[in-house]
Amino acid sequence: MTERPAIYVYRYFFAGEEAGEGRLEIRPLEAGVKATLTAEVNLPLPKTRQRWQTETDAEGFSQYFAERVEGRESRVFTVERLEEEGVVLVSQGKESLAFPFVAPYHDPLSLLLALPGLALEPGDVARFPMPGGRVYVERLSDLEVGGRPRQHYRLRPGLTLVQLEEGLPVRIAQQVGDHVFEAVLQGVEEPKRRRRWV
């Protein structure tokens, strides 16, 4: 998505009503990227603060993923690829499980970052491993919104629709119960430089 650090600001909507805001910060690493999505979600109940973090390898596959949700209670879920040991370590709370590392895989955030680089034509479907299963990415027919072309993808399971404009996810929609949850890009910021103390 970016060769330089950037922050993408999203507005959330649920059933057409405003439902919070999210900030996706992406920083290139020596090989791959580190991305952090921090979201304040004000759905009817409960209100939550959510944070997802991914670190990818040079091909864009997940090396480390963490999800933290704070609401009525807090929960943390992590998935770490330990190639030297040949395992994927999945942790939730105090429990950890190790699975054999068979092939590179995506987490939800690394997959979103990988979409602009997929060589799919409308009608094509790609399948990617994910911890605990797999995800299918289908390229739909392109759209035109406000005179600008958008690439359109459907992700399953979970039925998520993603629209890209110039390689950026500008609209993400997901079915939640009987309603639609949407994230709409509002703007792009440059991260503040961190001060170095000498």
Side-chain angles (χ1 to χ4, degrees):
M1 281 173 64
T2 181
E3 293 176 7
R4 296 193 331 246
I7 296 173
Y8 303 91
V9 181
Y10 290 87
R11 210 60 149 318
Y12 297 143
F13 298 90
F14 180 70
E17 302 289 324
E18 285 206 35
E21 184 178 275
R23 298 171 71 80
L24 174 61
E25 181 173 353
I26 301 176
R27 291 187 178 273
L29 300 174
E30 204 169 296
V33 297
K34 178 178 181 178
T36 304
L37 173 62
T38 306
E40 300 275 349
V41 183
N42 306 316
L43 293 175
L45 279 176
K47 293 182 179 181
T48 61
R49 179 174 168 82
Q50 303 172 21
R51 180 181 167 99
W52 293 273
Q53 185 176 325
T54 189
E55 290 182 24
T56 72
D57 61 19
E59 284 77 44
F61 290 102
S62 181
Q63 288 188 304
Y64 175 81
F65 174 72
E67 175 187 59
R68 180 180 187 89
V69 178
E70 297 172 359
R72 289 187 183 138
E73 54 189 51
S74 293
R75 70 174 198 272
V76 178
F77 171 77
T78 62
V79 181
E80 188 171 6
R81 190 169 104 194
L82 304 172
E83 278 187 70
E84 287 186 12
E85 291 88 346
V87 298
V88 176
L89 187 64
V90 179
S91 304
Q92 186 162 359
K94 295 178 182 175
E95 294 184 24
S96 294
L97 291 171
F99 297 96
F101 172 61
V102 179
Y105 57 85
H106 277 299
D107 60 59
L109 204 46
S110 73
L111 180 63
L112 184 66
L113 300 178
L115 288 179
L118 296 181
L120 297 178
E121 295 296 324
D124 289 350
V125 178
R127 179 180 135 182
F128 297 100
M130 285 187 109
R134 60 192 155 276
V135 64
Y136 295 90
V137 177
E138 180 183 1
R139 173 85 184 267
L140 303 175
S141 297
D142 290 352
L143 303 170
E144 190 173 302
V145 178
R148 298 171 66 101
R150 289 186 180 178
Q151 293 177 324
H152 197 200
Y153 297 87
R154 176 172 33 220
L155 313 182
R156 291 174 288 134
L159 189 54
T160 300
L161 299 174
V162 180
Q163 296 176 13
L164 302 181
E165 195 172 289
E166 295 181 3
L168 295 178
V170 293
R171 182 176 179 270
I172 303 165
Q174 186 172 39
Q175 187 78 30
V176 179
D178 294 332
H179 301 290
V180 174
F181 179 81
E182 292 179 274
V184 179
L185 182 66
Q186 298 296 300
V188 182
E189 302 173 0
E190 281 195 30
K192 293 178 180 145
R193 289 189 172 197
R194 294 189 174 119
R195 287 187 182 171
R196 279 195 153 159
W197 299 96
V198 180

